[in-house]
Amino acid sequence: SQQGEEDPQALSIQEGENATMNCSYKTSINNLQWYRQNSGRGLVHLILIRSNEREKHSGRLRVTLDTSKKSSSLLITASRAADTASYFCATDADGNNRLAFGKGNQVVVIP
Amino acid sequence: DTGVSQNPRHKITKRGQNVTFRCDPISEHNRLYWYRQTLGQGPEFLTYFQNEAQLEKSRLLSDRFSAERPKGSFSTLEIQRTEQGDSAMYLCAGAGDTDTQYFGPGTRLTVL
């Protein structure tokens, strides 16, 4: 069964705007990861945040993790048309890296 | 480019036929994972290997599915007696000493 669930499911924004996606999960985790997938392609790893971390940055990406609420958010700042993709959160519950993915968040950035 | 390759990229087969997919991770990937992704869904874990040992199999992996990683390098996933419900994207990922998984481009299977 799917562990992560992203909200909202679909997001359409203008280029230059920020995009925020949320992910909730049910069980305790070792780490949470965000991936991007362009249409029909493989997944690209974006960022990993461990259960003892609260916030992480990578370029225009900012991820937060709230283990008390079992939720995470991904913020993409100053979005570009090339950011158009599906974004998935995935949780690793026990450190063996068997990832449980959410259903994904489709983001469309309009030039 | 993650360095993980999968072949073939697309496979169309008739129901009841057997198919085999191959995944080639990079040499540093001592762990290798297989996932299945259907349209509009996130990937679902199927199985994973630590070197040549298959350590875990999902309940999604019925008896018709078998995976191998004979020398701890490339891996194959075979589906016997394919069914229409097997139509999906099959993704392979490699991982080394970190927790990051590097995904290949996937093999899209269509069962007619």
Side-chain angles (χ1 to χ4, degrees), chain B residues 23-95:
Chain B
C23 171
D24 285 87
I26 65 174
S27 59
E28 290 82 0
H29 292 164
N30 50 29
R31 285 173 289 133
L32 187 146
Y33 300 80
W34 284 98
Y35 294 85
R36 181 175 70 185
Q37 184 179 26
T38 54
L39 199 61
Q41 301 294 317
E44 294 177 293
F45 169 81
L46 292 178
T47 188
Y48 92 97
F49 293 83
Q50 173 86 35
N51 299 313
E52 66 275 12
Q54 187 173 18
L55 296 187
E56 187 171 348
K57 293 193 291 185
S58 162
R59 57 181 171 77
L60 293 175
L61 217 64
S62 75
D63 291 345
R64 297 185 297 107
F65 288 70
S66 62
E68 294 182 343
R69 196 182 185 199
K71 297 181 180 179
S73 55
F74 73 91
S75 176
T76 58
L77 177 67
E78 181 184 15
I79 309 175
Q80 296 182 329
R81 304 181 304 281
T82 52
E83 302 173 356
Q84 288 184 324
D86 297 331
S87 295
M89 175 81 88
Y90 289 84
L91 295 161
C92 164

